[in-house]
Amino acid sequence: MGERIFIGVAWPYADGPLHLGHIAGVYLPSDIFARYHRTKGDEVLMVSGSDQHGTPITIKAEQEGKKPEEIVNQYHQQFLDSWQKLGISFDLFTRTGTANHAEVSHNFFLTLLNKGYIYKATGSQPFCPHCQRFLSDRYIEGTCPYCHFSGARGDQCDGCGKPITPAELIDPGCKLCGTTPQFKDSEHFFFRLSAFQDRLSAWVSEQSRWRPNVYNLTNRYLKEGLRDRAITRDIEWGVTVPLDGFERKRLYVWFEAVIGYLSATKEWAKSSGDEGKWRCYWQDDEAKSYYFIGKDNIPFHTLIWPAMLMGYGGLNLPYDVPANEFLTIEGRKLSTSRNWAVWLPDYLSRYDPDPLRYLLSISMPETGDTDFSWREFVRRNNDELVATYGNLVNRVLTFVYKNFDGCVPTYEDMGAINVAPLDGRDNDLINKSLAAFNHIGGLLSQCHFKQALRMAMTVAQETNRYLEEKSPWKAIKDDKQAAATSLYVALGIISYLRTMLYPFLPFSSQKLHQYLGFEGSVEDDGWQPRFPSPGQKLLPPEPLFSKLDEGLIEEEVSRVGHVEHNL
Ligand SMILES: [Zn+2]
Ligand SMILES: [Zn+2]
């Protein structure tokens, strides 16, 4: 019996396209993790969806003369298309606009209200007299009271990462027109986060597996003391408040979007035909919940969502929150408002998915920010994917296909590969590769993706060295058996690589799986180091990757900042 793994992935905001920062930070690591566990035979549920509420979408809709639904539908479709092309394997990618999500959010709200964790209070809300609207926290900007960063938003400061409230900002201004907002009294509901200070402190102190950045940041907030937060807003686009007298208010998007992890699980269970199945991921102590998010989302997933879950009662708390740091682009901070980004749909319209998955994995911002550059993209593709791995696979498969009747080499004594015909060098390569295989599994289960991929690539390098020494291309002329043995060993290690690299490079691994003559999918074959059987029929091989022209570097760099992304 395997493990049961719930994977909650940050909900992308449906007001713009995905960029490489989202992919390196959140979607690729969660997908690698899910694919590894599925291959291992674990029960995996990976969910997310479009976060479709909040003021930015209503403002964008107004600016474009559209309805918010149109904006949201357009990006939701685009997200689904991107997941499919990049191979991000959600079990369910839904949206926060479903009736199911509203129902689960209402239930969550009312339960917390009945338990006294939500209370009503009159708070002063920023109102822009020029725009004639209440401003959501993100639409008010000013100077951070803690670090004096000048572009702090009303919900959070990007300078120091601290969550803040609009009233705390120094020199606040409406983000749309710059007018100084007035603070008007409005009745709202608040979540009693302060009541969870002790329980959260005790729980956080037990989380030894969290990454240091996640643990330290969480502790910093705890030490500063948790404050209650408003969970309703004066807007009309969003999940309604399930009480009379609040028809013109909506649940605040931070509150309902995190509930999406639970509502998505319920939706998945309903569509699977077993409505109660959500419980096995949320109420079974054995199930582990992982949340893949960017570093700007840490306090919401290590403090606020856990407090909401504690308040609700009987639901699993996060097991791990492997938040990544940020990706810079060509050495500069990624900025969607300044259009300094590489947009995913644009990339996918011109290049294959696996080279991007490779680059973003091998330089994943796990413990610090990392940079994406087109030069590095071309170099890693050509020197590593093509030269180290792709050529190894292609050279061996093509040679075997030609010289051994399209089959895995076999001869009388080869029934048990680990005995007589293998020499010390053969066994040395096999043993090292087996050790790497096992080690990679351990690294993947601990979310050390970069290190896992690097280790797999050293196996490819070792195999290239082995073939240089054995030189079956020459040996075949006077000792076919020796050539057969070393090619058999090489095919076996290539078969290990097919599995080891599958979580990172699913498209090329599946192709390789077929070239090697295996049936079905890599995932069905399982997380096991497996040699193809002697005599197994191969498929005519094609190169797994192609070399990229260095000329594209300059062309692509000059496109950054100039690609129309408002599709
Ligand atoms: Zn304004
Ligand atoms: Zn600050």
Side-chain angles (χ1 to χ4, degrees), residues 13 15 54-60 63 126 128 133-141 153-155 166 169 173-179 181 233 252:
Y13 205 55
D15 73 340
T55 316
I57 285 166
T58 58
I59 288 170
K60 191 179 176 97
Q63 284 167 348
C128 176
R133 68 160 91 231
F134 281 100
L135 297 172
S136 76
D137 293 352
R138 289 176 159 265
Y139 274 82
I140 173 160
E141 287 182 348
R153 295 190 313 260
D155 59 343
L169 286 173
C174 168
K175 191 187 165 186
L176 298 171
C177 70
T179 306
R233 311 304 285 167
Y252 194 11

PDB file of all heavy atoms in Angstrom, residues 13 15 54-60 63 126 128 133-141 153-155 166 169 173-179 181 233 252:
ATOM      1  N   TYR A  13      -4.288  33.670 -10.915  1.00  0.00           N
ATOM      2  CA  TYR A  13      -5.264  34.721 -11.028  1.00  0.00           C
ATOM      3  C   TYR A  13      -5.640  34.895 -12.493  1.00  0.00           C
ATOM      4  O   TYR A  13      -4.759  35.117 -13.341  1.00  0.00           O
ATOM      5  CB  TYR A  13      -4.651  35.999 -10.450  1.00  0.00           C
ATOM      6  CG  TYR A  13      -5.699  36.941  -9.961  1.00  0.00           C
ATOM      7  CD1 TYR A  13      -6.641  36.501  -9.028  1.00  0.00           C
ATOM      8  CD2 TYR A  13      -5.767  38.226 -10.425  1.00  0.00           C
ATOM      9  CE1 TYR A  13      -7.637  37.350  -8.593  1.00  0.00           C
ATOM     10  CE2 TYR A  13      -6.755  39.085  -9.986  1.00  0.00           C
ATOM     11  CZ  TYR A  13      -7.695  38.641  -9.077  1.00  0.00           C
ATOM     12  OH  TYR A  13      -8.680  39.478  -8.656  1.00  0.00           O
ATOM     13  N   ASP A  15      -6.466  36.957 -14.669  1.00  0.00           N
ATOM     14  CA  ASP A  15      -6.512  38.261 -15.323  1.00  0.00           C
ATOM     15  C   ASP A  15      -5.315  38.486 -16.240  1.00  0.00           C
ATOM     16  O   ASP A  15      -5.057  39.593 -16.678  1.00  0.00           O
ATOM     17  CB  ASP A  15      -6.604  39.397 -14.284  1.00  0.00           C
ATOM     18  CG  ASP A  15      -5.299  39.607 -13.542  1.00  0.00           C
ATOM     19  OD1 ASP A  15      -4.457  38.679 -13.532  1.00  0.00           O
ATOM     20  OD2 ASP A  15      -5.103  40.701 -12.977  1.00  0.00           O
ATOM     21  N   GLY A  54     -12.142  39.122  -7.347  1.00  0.00           N
ATOM     22  CA  GLY A  54     -11.255  40.221  -6.938  1.00  0.00           C
ATOM     23  C   GLY A  54     -11.344  41.416  -7.863  1.00  0.00           C
ATOM     24  O   GLY A  54     -11.778  41.322  -9.013  1.00  0.00           O
ATOM     25  N   THR A  55     -10.914  42.542  -7.340  1.00  0.00           N
ATOM     26  CA  THR A  55     -11.033  43.812  -8.045  1.00  0.00           C
ATOM     27  C   THR A  55     -10.253  43.896  -9.356  1.00  0.00           C
ATOM     28  O   THR A  55     -10.747  44.480 -10.320  1.00  0.00           O
ATOM     29  CB  THR A  55     -10.590  44.953  -7.100  1.00  0.00           C
ATOM     30  OG1 THR A  55     -11.169  44.712  -5.822  1.00  0.00           O
ATOM     31  CG2 THR A  55     -11.043  46.293  -7.606  1.00  0.00           C
ATOM     32  N   PRO A  56      -9.025  43.357  -9.450  1.00  0.00           N
ATOM     33  CA  PRO A  56      -8.286  43.534 -10.713  1.00  0.00           C
ATOM     34  C   PRO A  56      -9.068  43.050 -11.931  1.00  0.00           C
ATOM     35  O   PRO A  56      -8.992  43.667 -12.995  1.00  0.00           O
ATOM     36  CB  PRO A  56      -7.026  42.684 -10.507  1.00  0.00           C
ATOM     37  CG  PRO A  56      -6.838  42.649  -9.030  1.00  0.00           C
ATOM     38  CD  PRO A  56      -8.218  42.657  -8.443  1.00  0.00           C
ATOM     39  N   ILE A  57      -9.837  41.980 -11.749  1.00  0.00           N
ATOM     40  CA  ILE A  57     -10.584  41.454 -12.893  1.00  0.00           C
ATOM     41  C   ILE A  57     -11.731  42.392 -13.267  1.00  0.00           C
ATOM     42  O   ILE A  57     -11.972  42.651 -14.456  1.00  0.00           O
ATOM     43  CB  ILE A  57     -11.078  40.018 -12.596  1.00  0.00           C
ATOM     44  CG1 ILE A  57      -9.881  39.064 -12.707  1.00  0.00           C
ATOM     45  CG2 ILE A  57     -12.193  39.605 -13.545  1.00  0.00           C
ATOM     46  CD1 ILE A  57     -10.086  37.700 -12.147  1.00  0.00           C
ATOM     47  N   THR A  58     -12.414  42.962 -12.263  1.00  0.00           N
ATOM     48  CA  THR A  58     -13.510  43.878 -12.595  1.00  0.00           C
ATOM     49  C   THR A  58     -12.961  45.140 -13.277  1.00  0.00           C
ATOM     50  O   THR A  58     -13.566  45.664 -14.205  1.00  0.00           O
ATOM     51  CB  THR A  58     -14.317  44.282 -11.345  1.00  0.00           C
ATOM     52  OG1 THR A  58     -13.432  44.882 -10.399  1.00  0.00           O
ATOM     53  CG2 THR A  58     -14.972  43.093 -10.684  1.00  0.00           C
ATOM     54  N   ILE A  59     -11.805  45.574 -12.835  1.00  0.00           N
ATOM     55  CA  ILE A  59     -11.224  46.777 -13.436  1.00  0.00           C
ATOM     56  C   ILE A  59     -10.756  46.506 -14.862  1.00  0.00           C
ATOM     57  O   ILE A  59     -11.001  47.285 -15.779  1.00  0.00           O
ATOM     58  CB  ILE A  59     -10.098  47.320 -12.549  1.00  0.00           C
ATOM     59  CG1 ILE A  59     -10.734  47.929 -11.294  1.00  0.00           C
ATOM     60  CG2 ILE A  59      -9.255  48.359 -13.294  1.00  0.00           C
ATOM     61  CD1 ILE A  59      -9.774  48.289 -10.214  1.00  0.00           C
ATOM     62  N   LYS A  60     -10.145  45.369 -15.055  1.00  0.00           N
ATOM     63  CA  LYS A  60      -9.717  45.007 -16.401  1.00  0.00           C
ATOM     64  C   LYS A  60     -10.932  44.899 -17.331  1.00  0.00           C
ATOM     65  O   LYS A  60     -10.889  45.357 -18.471  1.00  0.00           O
ATOM     66  CB  LYS A  60      -8.963  43.672 -16.360  1.00  0.00           C
ATOM     67  CG  LYS A  60      -8.256  43.341 -17.658  1.00  0.00           C
ATOM     68  CD  LYS A  60      -7.517  42.018 -17.524  1.00  0.00           C
ATOM     69  CE  LYS A  60      -6.886  41.609 -18.823  1.00  0.00           C
ATOM     70  NZ  LYS A  60      -5.486  41.960 -18.932  1.00  0.00           N
ATOM     71  N   GLN A  63     -12.117  48.326 -18.238  1.00  0.00           N
ATOM     72  CA  GLN A  63     -11.202  48.955 -19.192  1.00  0.00           C
ATOM     73  C   GLN A  63     -11.392  48.403 -20.606  1.00  0.00           C
ATOM     74  O   GLN A  63     -11.237  49.120 -21.585  1.00  0.00           O
ATOM     75  CB  GLN A  63      -9.746  48.730 -18.762  1.00  0.00           C
ATOM     76  CG  GLN A  63      -9.335  49.623 -17.589  1.00  0.00           C
ATOM     77  CD  GLN A  63      -8.033  49.184 -16.961  1.00  0.00           C
ATOM     78  OE1 GLN A  63      -7.530  48.089 -17.236  1.00  0.00           O
ATOM     79  NE2 GLN A  63      -7.469  50.024 -16.096  1.00  0.00           N
ATOM     80  N   PRO A 126     -10.884  51.843   2.841  1.00  0.00           N
ATOM     81  CA  PRO A 126     -10.467  52.918   1.935  1.00  0.00           C
ATOM     82  C   PRO A 126     -11.454  53.069   0.773  1.00  0.00           C
ATOM     83  O   PRO A 126     -11.872  52.082   0.177  1.00  0.00           O
ATOM     84  CB  PRO A 126      -9.091  52.456   1.440  1.00  0.00           C
ATOM     85  CG  PRO A 126      -9.046  50.994   1.690  1.00  0.00           C
ATOM     86  CD  PRO A 126      -9.969  50.699   2.825  1.00  0.00           C
ATOM     87  N   CYS A 128     -12.164  55.501  -2.732  1.00  0.00           N
ATOM     88  CA  CYS A 128     -11.598  56.542  -3.585  1.00  0.00           C
ATOM     89  C   CYS A 128     -12.708  57.496  -4.022  1.00  0.00           C
ATOM     90  O   CYS A 128     -13.629  57.089  -4.733  1.00  0.00           O
ATOM     91  CB  CYS A 128     -10.912  55.950  -4.818  1.00  0.00           C
ATOM     92  SG  CYS A 128     -10.305  57.239  -5.934  1.00  0.00           S
ATOM     93  N   ARG A 133     -15.386  54.264  -5.600  1.00  0.00           N
ATOM     94  CA  ARG A 133     -15.487  52.861  -5.219  1.00  0.00           C
ATOM     95  C   ARG A 133     -14.619  52.589  -4.003  1.00  0.00           C
ATOM     96  O   ARG A 133     -13.643  53.292  -3.748  1.00  0.00           O
ATOM     97  CB  ARG A 133     -15.047  51.958  -6.368  1.00  0.00           C
ATOM     98  CG  ARG A 133     -13.554  52.064  -6.680  1.00  0.00           C
ATOM     99  CD  ARG A 133     -13.063  50.866  -7.454  1.00  0.00           C
ATOM    100  NE  ARG A 133     -13.145  51.049  -8.900  1.00  0.00           N
ATOM    101  CZ  ARG A 133     -13.720  50.179  -9.708  1.00  0.00           C
ATOM    102  NH1 ARG A 133     -14.273  49.103  -9.230  1.00  0.00           N
ATOM    103  NH2 ARG A 133     -13.725  50.392 -11.010  1.00  0.00           N
ATOM    104  N   PHE A 134     -15.029  51.534  -3.272  1.00  0.00           N
ATOM    105  CA  PHE A 134     -14.164  51.040  -2.209  1.00  0.00           C
ATOM    106  C   PHE A 134     -12.968  50.385  -2.867  1.00  0.00           C
ATOM    107  O   PHE A 134     -13.115  49.691  -3.874  1.00  0.00           O
ATOM    108  CB  PHE A 134     -14.907  50.027  -1.326  1.00  0.00           C
ATOM    109  CG  PHE A 134     -15.827  50.671  -0.327  1.00  0.00           C
ATOM    110  CD1 PHE A 134     -17.199  50.750  -0.559  1.00  0.00           C
ATOM    111  CD2 PHE A 134     -15.320  51.192   0.856  1.00  0.00           C
ATOM    112  CE1 PHE A 134     -18.042  51.347   0.356  1.00  0.00           C
ATOM    113  CE2 PHE A 134     -16.148  51.797   1.786  1.00  0.00           C
ATOM    114  CZ  PHE A 134     -17.524  51.871   1.537  1.00  0.00           C
ATOM    115  N   LEU A 135     -11.820  50.610  -2.320  1.00  0.00           N
ATOM    116  CA  LEU A 135     -10.610  50.064  -2.931  1.00  0.00           C
ATOM    117  C   LEU A 135     -10.215  48.778  -2.222  1.00  0.00           C
ATOM    118  O   LEU A 135     -10.081  48.759  -0.995  1.00  0.00           O
ATOM    119  CB  LEU A 135      -9.468  51.074  -2.814  1.00  0.00           C
ATOM    120  CG  LEU A 135      -9.683  52.393  -3.544  1.00  0.00           C
ATOM    121  CD1 LEU A 135      -8.580  53.378  -3.187  1.00  0.00           C
ATOM    122  CD2 LEU A 135      -9.721  52.168  -5.052  1.00  0.00           C
ATOM    123  N   SER A 136     -10.035  47.720  -2.993  1.00  0.00           N
ATOM    124  CA  SER A 136      -9.546  46.491  -2.365  1.00  0.00           C
ATOM    125  C   SER A 136      -8.080  46.743  -1.997  1.00  0.00           C
ATOM    126  O   SER A 136      -7.437  47.661  -2.510  1.00  0.00           O
ATOM    127  CB  SER A 136      -9.685  45.313  -3.307  1.00  0.00           C
ATOM    128  OG  SER A 136      -8.693  45.375  -4.280  1.00  0.00           O
ATOM    129  N   ASP A 137      -7.568  45.919  -1.114  1.00  0.00           N
ATOM    130  CA  ASP A 137      -6.229  46.147  -0.570  1.00  0.00           C
ATOM    131  C   ASP A 137      -5.146  46.305  -1.637  1.00  0.00           C
ATOM    132  O   ASP A 137      -4.199  47.057  -1.471  1.00  0.00           O
ATOM    133  CB  ASP A 137      -5.846  44.997   0.371  1.00  0.00           C
ATOM    134  CG  ASP A 137      -6.723  44.996   1.613  1.00  0.00           C
ATOM    135  OD1 ASP A 137      -7.489  45.959   1.791  1.00  0.00           O
ATOM    136  OD2 ASP A 137      -6.636  44.032   2.387  1.00  0.00           O
ATOM    137  N   ARG A 138      -5.323  45.572  -2.721  1.00  0.00           N
ATOM    138  CA  ARG A 138      -4.298  45.629  -3.770  1.00  0.00           C
ATOM    139  C   ARG A 138      -4.371  46.921  -4.565  1.00  0.00           C
ATOM    140  O   ARG A 138      -3.478  47.232  -5.332  1.00  0.00           O
ATOM    141  CB  ARG A 138      -4.497  44.482  -4.768  1.00  0.00           C
ATOM    142  CG  ARG A 138      -4.161  43.153  -4.188  1.00  0.00           C
ATOM    143  CD  ARG A 138      -4.452  42.051  -5.168  1.00  0.00           C
ATOM    144  NE  ARG A 138      -3.664  40.891  -4.769  1.00  0.00           N
ATOM    145  CZ  ARG A 138      -2.481  40.607  -5.266  1.00  0.00           C
ATOM    146  NH1 ARG A 138      -1.953  41.361  -6.202  1.00  0.00           N
ATOM    147  NH2 ARG A 138      -1.819  39.564  -4.834  1.00  0.00           N
ATOM    148  N   TYR A 139      -5.501  47.637  -4.420  1.00  0.00           N
ATOM    149  CA  TYR A 139      -5.666  48.853  -5.199  1.00  0.00           C
ATOM    150  C   TYR A 139      -5.339  50.107  -4.426  1.00  0.00           C
ATOM    151  O   TYR A 139      -5.735  51.202  -4.775  1.00  0.00           O
ATOM    152  CB  TYR A 139      -7.063  48.888  -5.821  1.00  0.00           C
ATOM    153  CG  TYR A 139      -6.974  48.135  -7.095  1.00  0.00           C
ATOM    154  CD1 TYR A 139      -7.049  46.746  -7.108  1.00  0.00           C
ATOM    155  CD2 TYR A 139      -6.636  48.799  -8.267  1.00  0.00           C
ATOM    156  CE1 TYR A 139      -6.846  46.042  -8.267  1.00  0.00           C
ATOM    157  CE2 TYR A 139      -6.434  48.106  -9.436  1.00  0.00           C
ATOM    158  CZ  TYR A 139      -6.533  46.723  -9.441  1.00  0.00           C
ATOM    159  OH  TYR A 139      -6.305  46.038 -10.594  1.00  0.00           O
ATOM    160  N   ILE A 140      -4.619  49.904  -3.366  1.00  0.00           N
ATOM    161  CA  ILE A 140      -4.164  51.057  -2.620  1.00  0.00           C
ATOM    162  C   ILE A 140      -2.674  50.851  -2.402  1.00  0.00           C
ATOM    163  O   ILE A 140      -2.223  49.752  -2.070  1.00  0.00           O
ATOM    164  CB  ILE A 140      -4.991  51.213  -1.332  1.00  0.00           C
ATOM    165  CG1 ILE A 140      -4.459  52.309  -0.430  1.00  0.00           C
ATOM    166  CG2 ILE A 140      -5.115  49.944  -0.549  1.00  0.00           C
ATOM    167  CD1 ILE A 140      -5.525  52.757   0.550  1.00  0.00           C
ATOM    168  N   GLU A 141      -1.907  51.878  -2.683  1.00  0.00           N
ATOM    169  CA  GLU A 141      -0.461  51.772  -2.573  1.00  0.00           C
ATOM    170  C   GLU A 141       0.102  52.914  -1.751  1.00  0.00           C
ATOM    171  O   GLU A 141      -0.472  53.994  -1.706  1.00  0.00           O
ATOM    172  CB  GLU A 141       0.191  51.772  -3.964  1.00  0.00           C
ATOM    173  CG  GLU A 141      -0.020  50.464  -4.704  1.00  0.00           C
ATOM    174  CD  GLU A 141       0.662  50.426  -6.062  1.00  0.00           C
ATOM    175  OE1 GLU A 141       1.112  51.486  -6.552  1.00  0.00           O
ATOM    176  OE2 GLU A 141       0.728  49.329  -6.616  1.00  0.00           O
ATOM    177  N   ARG A 153       1.727  47.556  -1.263  1.00  0.00           N
ATOM    178  CA  ARG A 153       0.290  47.474  -1.505  1.00  0.00           C
ATOM    179  C   ARG A 153      -0.442  47.335  -0.169  1.00  0.00           C
ATOM    180  O   ARG A 153       0.145  46.999   0.843  1.00  0.00           O
ATOM    181  CB  ARG A 153      -0.035  46.245  -2.355  1.00  0.00           C
ATOM    182  CG  ARG A 153       0.506  46.256  -3.754  1.00  0.00           C
ATOM    183  CD  ARG A 153      -0.118  45.084  -4.538  1.00  0.00           C
ATOM    184  NE  ARG A 153      -0.053  43.856  -3.765  1.00  0.00           N
ATOM    185  CZ  ARG A 153       0.867  42.913  -3.945  1.00  0.00           C
ATOM    186  NH1 ARG A 153       1.788  43.068  -4.856  1.00  0.00           N
ATOM    187  NH2 ARG A 153       0.849  41.831  -3.211  1.00  0.00           N
ATOM    188  N   GLY A 154      -1.759  47.549  -0.230  1.00  0.00           N
ATOM    189  CA  GLY A 154      -2.566  47.491   0.983  1.00  0.00           C
ATOM    190  C   GLY A 154      -2.724  46.112   1.583  1.00  0.00           C
ATOM    191  O   GLY A 154      -3.229  45.967   2.687  1.00  0.00           O
ATOM    192  N   ASP A 155      -2.293  45.069   0.863  1.00  0.00           N
ATOM    193  CA  ASP A 155      -2.391  43.730   1.453  1.00  0.00           C
ATOM    194  C   ASP A 155      -1.032  43.205   1.878  1.00  0.00           C
ATOM    195  O   ASP A 155      -0.931  42.360   2.754  1.00  0.00           O
ATOM    196  CB  ASP A 155      -3.047  42.739   0.479  1.00  0.00           C
ATOM    197  CG  ASP A 155      -2.285  42.619  -0.831  1.00  0.00           C
ATOM    198  OD1 ASP A 155      -1.453  43.504  -1.136  1.00  0.00           O
ATOM    199  OD2 ASP A 155      -2.505  41.638  -1.556  1.00  0.00           O
ATOM    200  N   PRO A 166      -4.487  48.381   4.692  1.00  0.00           N
ATOM    201  CA  PRO A 166      -4.432  49.681   4.025  1.00  0.00           C
ATOM    202  C   PRO A 166      -4.218  50.836   5.013  1.00  0.00           C
ATOM    203  O   PRO A 166      -3.507  51.798   4.703  1.00  0.00           O
ATOM    204  CB  PRO A 166      -5.802  49.791   3.365  1.00  0.00           C
ATOM    205  CG  PRO A 166      -6.248  48.397   3.169  1.00  0.00           C
ATOM    206  CD  PRO A 166      -5.684  47.608   4.305  1.00  0.00           C
ATOM    207  N   LEU A 169      -0.597  51.947   5.788  1.00  0.00           N
ATOM    208  CA  LEU A 169       0.275  52.543   4.767  1.00  0.00           C
ATOM    209  C   LEU A 169       0.519  54.029   5.025  1.00  0.00           C
ATOM    210  O   LEU A 169      -0.391  54.771   5.391  1.00  0.00           O
ATOM    211  CB  LEU A 169      -0.356  52.391   3.379  1.00  0.00           C
ATOM    212  CG  LEU A 169      -0.347  51.016   2.737  1.00  0.00           C
ATOM    213  CD1 LEU A 169      -1.170  51.053   1.454  1.00  0.00           C
ATOM    214  CD2 LEU A 169       1.086  50.580   2.432  1.00  0.00           C
ATOM    215  N   GLY A 173      -2.415  55.956  -1.637  1.00  0.00           N
ATOM    216  CA  GLY A 173      -3.029  56.528  -2.830  1.00  0.00           C
ATOM    217  C   GLY A 173      -3.794  55.459  -3.589  1.00  0.00           C
ATOM    218  O   GLY A 173      -3.446  54.279  -3.539  1.00  0.00           O
ATOM    219  N   CYS A 174      -4.837  55.866  -4.292  1.00  0.00           N
ATOM    220  CA  CYS A 174      -5.590  54.945  -5.154  1.00  0.00           C
ATOM    221  C   CYS A 174      -4.671  54.527  -6.300  1.00  0.00           C
ATOM    222  O   CYS A 174      -4.049  55.370  -6.945  1.00  0.00           O
ATOM    223  CB  CYS A 174      -6.836  55.646  -5.701  1.00  0.00           C
ATOM    224  SG  CYS A 174      -7.656  54.762  -7.039  1.00  0.00           S
ATOM    225  N   LYS A 175      -4.589  53.227  -6.541  1.00  0.00           N
ATOM    226  CA  LYS A 175      -3.664  52.744  -7.565  1.00  0.00           C
ATOM    227  C   LYS A 175      -4.093  53.186  -8.969  1.00  0.00           C
ATOM    228  O   LYS A 175      -3.279  53.314  -9.869  1.00  0.00           O
ATOM    229  CB  LYS A 175      -3.604  51.222  -7.495  1.00  0.00           C
ATOM    230  CG  LYS A 175      -2.481  50.636  -8.318  1.00  0.00           C
ATOM    231  CD  LYS A 175      -2.556  49.131  -8.354  1.00  0.00           C
ATOM    232  CE  LYS A 175      -1.671  48.609  -9.466  1.00  0.00           C
ATOM    233  NZ  LYS A 175      -1.817  47.167  -9.633  1.00  0.00           N
ATOM    234  N   LEU A 176      -5.390  53.411  -9.144  1.00  0.00           N
ATOM    235  CA  LEU A 176      -5.895  53.743 -10.472  1.00  0.00           C
ATOM    236  C   LEU A 176      -5.709  55.219 -10.811  1.00  0.00           C
ATOM    237  O   LEU A 176      -5.392  55.557 -11.936  1.00  0.00           O
ATOM    238  CB  LEU A 176      -7.382  53.392 -10.562  1.00  0.00           C
ATOM    239  CG  LEU A 176      -7.694  51.915 -10.365  1.00  0.00           C
ATOM    240  CD1 LEU A 176      -9.191  51.709 -10.257  1.00  0.00           C
ATOM    241  CD2 LEU A 176      -7.125  51.091 -11.516  1.00  0.00           C
ATOM    242  N   CYS A 177      -5.940  56.094  -9.840  1.00  0.00           N
ATOM    243  CA  CYS A 177      -5.910  57.517 -10.164  1.00  0.00           C
ATOM    244  C   CYS A 177      -4.983  58.317  -9.245  1.00  0.00           C
ATOM    245  O   CYS A 177      -4.774  59.512  -9.472  1.00  0.00           O
ATOM    246  CB  CYS A 177      -7.315  58.099 -10.103  1.00  0.00           C
ATOM    247  SG  CYS A 177      -7.968  58.194  -8.431  1.00  0.00           S
ATOM    248  N   GLY A 178      -4.473  57.686  -8.203  1.00  0.00           N
ATOM    249  CA  GLY A 178      -3.523  58.365  -7.340  1.00  0.00           C
ATOM    250  C   GLY A 178      -4.142  59.204  -6.232  1.00  0.00           C
ATOM    251  O   GLY A 178      -3.447  59.672  -5.335  1.00  0.00           O
ATOM    252  N   THR A 179      -5.455  59.387  -6.281  1.00  0.00           N
ATOM    253  CA  THR A 179      -6.137  60.196  -5.269  1.00  0.00           C
ATOM    254  C   THR A 179      -5.952  59.592  -3.873  1.00  0.00           C
ATOM    255  O   THR A 179      -5.955  58.373  -3.722  1.00  0.00           O
ATOM    256  CB  THR A 179      -7.650  60.266  -5.589  1.00  0.00           C
ATOM    257  OG1 THR A 179      -7.798  60.728  -6.916  1.00  0.00           O
ATOM    258  CG2 THR A 179      -8.389  61.185  -4.624  1.00  0.00           C
ATOM    259  N   PRO A 181      -7.124  58.174  -0.670  1.00  0.00           N
ATOM    260  CA  PRO A 181      -8.446  57.621  -0.332  1.00  0.00           C
ATOM    261  C   PRO A 181      -8.974  58.170   0.991  1.00  0.00           C
ATOM    262  O   PRO A 181      -8.203  58.567   1.864  1.00  0.00           O
ATOM    263  CB  PRO A 181      -8.170  56.124  -0.222  1.00  0.00           C
ATOM    264  CG  PRO A 181      -6.731  56.002   0.054  1.00  0.00           C
ATOM    265  CD  PRO A 181      -6.055  57.200  -0.517  1.00  0.00           C
ATOM    266  N   ARG A 233     -15.685  42.176   1.606  1.00  0.00           N
ATOM    267  CA  ARG A 233     -15.361  43.428   0.925  1.00  0.00           C
ATOM    268  C   ARG A 233     -16.615  44.038   0.327  1.00  0.00           C
ATOM    269  O   ARG A 233     -17.578  43.332   0.050  1.00  0.00           O
ATOM    270  CB  ARG A 233     -14.379  43.194  -0.253  1.00  0.00           C
ATOM    271  CG  ARG A 233     -13.178  42.388   0.031  1.00  0.00           C
ATOM    272  CD  ARG A 233     -12.360  42.932   1.143  1.00  0.00           C
ATOM    273  NE  ARG A 233     -11.584  44.129   0.786  1.00  0.00           N
ATOM    274  CZ  ARG A 233     -10.997  44.917   1.677  1.00  0.00           C
ATOM    275  NH1 ARG A 233     -11.120  44.659   2.950  1.00  0.00           N
ATOM    276  NH2 ARG A 233     -10.290  45.962   1.304  1.00  0.00           N
ATOM    277  N   TYR A 252     -14.017  38.042   0.781  1.00  0.00           N
ATOM    278  CA  TYR A 252     -12.765  38.559   0.267  1.00  0.00           C
ATOM    279  C   TYR A 252     -11.992  37.411  -0.382  1.00  0.00           C
ATOM    280  O   TYR A 252     -11.979  36.292   0.103  1.00  0.00           O
ATOM    281  CB  TYR A 252     -11.977  39.167   1.434  1.00  0.00           C
ATOM    282  CG  TYR A 252     -10.823  40.036   1.010  1.00  0.00           C
ATOM    283  CD1 TYR A 252     -10.649  40.432  -0.299  1.00  0.00           C
ATOM    284  CD2 TYR A 252      -9.912  40.466   1.961  1.00  0.00           C
ATOM    285  CE1 TYR A 252      -9.594  41.229  -0.669  1.00  0.00           C
ATOM    286  CE2 TYR A 252      -8.843  41.263   1.597  1.00  0.00           C
ATOM    287  CZ  TYR A 252      -8.692  41.640   0.275  1.00  0.00           C
ATOM    288  OH  TYR A 252      -7.647  42.423  -0.080  1.00  0.00           O
TER     289      TYR A 252
END
